[in-house]
Amino acid sequence: MRKTTFGLAGIFVLLWSLFGVPAMLHAAEPAQYAPGEALVVLKNRIGQVSAAALSSASGGNYVKSVAESAGAKVATTYAALSEARNEIFVLIKSETKSTEELLAELAKNPDVECASPNYRVQAFTTTPNDPDYGSLWGLEKIRVSEVWDTTTGSENVHVAVIDTGLYAGHPDLAANVETSLSRSFVNPDNSVTPVVSSNFSDRDGHGTHVAGTIAAVGNNEIGVVGVNWRAKIIALKALRDNGSGWDSWTIAALDYLVDLLRANPDMRIPAVNLSLGGWIPETPAVRQNSATWRAYKALDDTNRTVIVVAAGNEGHEVGAPAPADYYNQRGERIVTKGAYCYPASFTGLKNLLVVGSVNVSDTAPAFTNWSSGSVHLAAPGVNIRSTYSAEALTGASLYANLQGTSMSAPHVAGAVALLASAHADRTANQLKELLCNSAN
């Protein structure tokens, strides 16, 4: 474990490199997928891909015909991702076929670029005058107070948080929540088909905790403070109230984010935080030919957003197959031998930044996933105090101490946003390189 100091033009952010050492109160669930569903990417047979083209008679019939050829129907299409990649993203479902049967049928169709199960994902939880600032050892560890002499963030900089939602009424967050742009993609029924709404409330608390580390309001004589005092949070709810969700919901959030960037070329969203993931029995090479990876790639190709993801909390190597089954304290199997942790194990994304955990003693806690090549940084992730949701089913406290790589990732997402507030002309890749290449 080696100390890592980041600096440029007065910006000094102390993080920690993770080299070969074994990222939340939520444990990852077993790798599962929705029965009879598939996330599919189709070849473009309709000319210029757009939302209008997809909803037109010819576009709709094309997508419908592919689904029907496999004995299924169209659940939803992802217009922004389709337009960005010039290929058609669609979620299809069958009432009669298993997932395996559906995938086998789709593999026979020459119009199908790739098809994969709709996997489950899970939240990875396990000097201002703010009264709790002294207990925020993580902010002291990354030496963010030195940065605040130069900038405390900018209200023109946004950070997207794909998580369990956000408690917009929190007194330590309300001023920094971009409510007009925040959305939920969680289906309130049992269906995994995403449903877009403006109700992004957080009855789990995880998303609110993550957001507070990034941008709890600073110097307001209330509670805690975030890495940024003024940056705006765009809450994109893709996990339900128990902290779990589906790839189809995460893809819908990425679709919305890509659309937002394309529609607003001057808008600055330098970081998106994804403190979530799951273990899937597909190698990174295989997973790279999936609708999920291509959705991340569409955002990556904009070069406007660093994709900050938690490494995971199972104590395994990222980018390598799990050597054995892994069980939580309740005896539930949460990792299957041979599975890989995603999105942390994704390859081929130049703006992906995977974050592991470090504790107050500058050592890696036992839970953190690790890698000498696939984990880029480690940041504070043990006993992290931040905002919590009064809407949460677990209680009504406005603040909570949590641990896990879910708590580490927002320290880094916040650092990216803070750098962006001081360096408005930098691309996402340049912001990522500022952090990684300045390491000792």
Side-chain angles (χ1 to χ4, degrees):
M1 180 73 66
R2 294 185 285 175
K3 186 176 295 184
T4 305
T5 304
F6 300 97
L8 186 77
I11 302 295
F12 297 95
V13 182
L14 179 62
L15 301 173
W16 287 76
S17 294
L18 194 63
F19 295 104
V21 295
M24 293 186 272
L25 296 178
H26 292 291
E29 295 183 359
Q32 300 178 23
Y33 46 79
E37 299 204 0
L39 288 160
V40 185
V41 177
L42 307 179
K43 294 178 180 177
N44 178 13
R45 302 290 194 197
I46 62 174
Q48 181 62 44
V49 177
S50 66
L54 285 174
S55 61
S56 68
S58 60
N61 288 337
Y62 169 53
V63 176
K64 181 181 177 182
S65 68
V66 173
E68 289 180 343
S69 73
K73 61 183 180 180
V74 176
T76 191
T77 56
Y78 303 91
L81 294 174
S82 299
E83 186 172 356
R85 294 275 301 172
N86 197 31
E87 50 191 8
I88 298 171
F89 287 71
V90 59
L91 172 66
I92 70 172
K93 60 191 304 182
S94 173
E95 302 295 338
T96 59
K97 287 183 168 59
S98 67
T99 300
E100 292 78 11
E101 291 170 335
L102 184 57
L103 294 175
E105 289 298 317
L106 289 167
K108 301 174 184 177
N109 195 320
D111 287 325
V112 174
E113 289 278 10
C114 63
S116 58
N118 185 12
Y119 284 104
R120 184 192 299 272
V121 293
Q122 182 80 21
F124 280 142
T125 307
T126 244
T127 314
N129 59 20
D130 306 82
D132 283 354
Y133 173 64
S135 66
L136 306 181
W137 73 268
L139 297 190
E140 179 182 359
K141 182 65 64 178
I142 66 172
R143 289 169 51 189
V144 71
S145 61
E146 298 178 29
V147 185
W148 290 339
D149 290 336
T150 301
T151 179
T152 55
S154 168
E155 61 186 16
N156 294 319
V157 170
H158 296 72
V159 178
V161 177
I162 300 179
D163 214 289
T164 60
L166 188 146
Y167 175 37
H170 197 293
D172 226 358
L173 280 173
N176 286 348
V177 179
E178 197 71 86
T179 55
S180 65
L181 297 178
S182 297
R183 296 288 187 274
S184 172
F185 306 93
V186 173
N187 194 315
D189 300 324
N190 291 325
S191 171
V192 299
T193 304
V195 173
V196 183
S197 77
S198 58
N199 181 16
F200 55 90
S201 61
D202 179 15
R203 294 180 64 82
D204 179 88
H206 187 270
T208 301
H209 196 278
V210 166
T213 297
I214 295 170
V217 178
N219 216 42
N220 63 349
E221 300 183 342
I222 300 174
V224 298
V225 60
V227 176
N228 295 265
W229 296 10
R230 297 185 296 155
K232 298 299 184 184
I233 295 292
I234 301 174
L236 303 178
K237 182 172 182 173
L239 300 175
R240 54 192 160 196
D241 295 340
N242 65 0
S244 69
W246 302 98
D247 272 349
S248 54
W249 297 348
T250 301
I251 291 177
L254 294 171
D255 182 68
Y256 175 82
L257 188 55
V258 168
D259 187 49
L260 197 61
L261 289 167
R262 290 169 65 88
N264 301 275
D266 295 326
M267 189 175 189
R268 300 171 64 202
I269 312 178
V272 56
N273 191 96
L274 295 110
S275 291
L276 53 79
W279 288 80
I280 296 172
E282 296 177 0
T283 67
V286 170
R287 196 68 180 144
Q288 193 161 321
N289 188 35
S290 69
T292 304
W293 181 87
R294 292 180 187 219
Y296 279 89
K297 186 65 166 63
L299 178 61
D300 187 62
D301 284 344
T302 69
N303 203 20
R304 292 168 63 183
T305 304
V306 179
I307 305 169
V308 182
V309 306
N313 299 336
E314 295 76 32
H316 288 319
E317 183 177 2
V318 174
D325 291 348
Y326 178 81
Y327 298 84
N328 63 20
Q329 293 179 340
R330 296 186 296 274
E332 299 166 333
R333 187 173 65 181
I334 61 175
V335 177
T336 302
K337 181 179 179 180
Y340 295 76
C341 184
Y342 293 99
S345 294
F346 277 146
T347 57
L349 303 174
K350 64 179 180 295
N351 293 318
L352 183 71
L353 212 167
V354 183
V355 185
S357 282
V358 68
N359 60 29
V360 70
S361 301
D362 301 336
T363 57
F367 64 76
T368 187
N369 287 349
W370 59 276
S371 171
S372 60
S374 298
V375 175
H376 301 91
L377 304 169
V382 177
N383 197 29
I384 302 301
R385 188 161 184 79
S386 185
T387 51
Y388 205 62
S389 177
E391 303 165 314
L393 298 172
T394 52
S397 174
L398 290 176
Y399 300 92
N401 287 35
L402 301 179
Q403 71 176 17
T405 53
S406 273
M407 288 60 252
S408 303
H411 282 86
V412 176
V416 172
L418 206 57
L419 282 170
S421 69
H423 302 283
D425 59 335
R426 301 303 176 102
T427 66
N429 195 238
Q430 289 171 333
L431 290 172
K432 175 186 173 181
E433 294 304 313
L434 282 177
L435 293 180
C436 294
N437 287 347
S438 297
N440 293 326

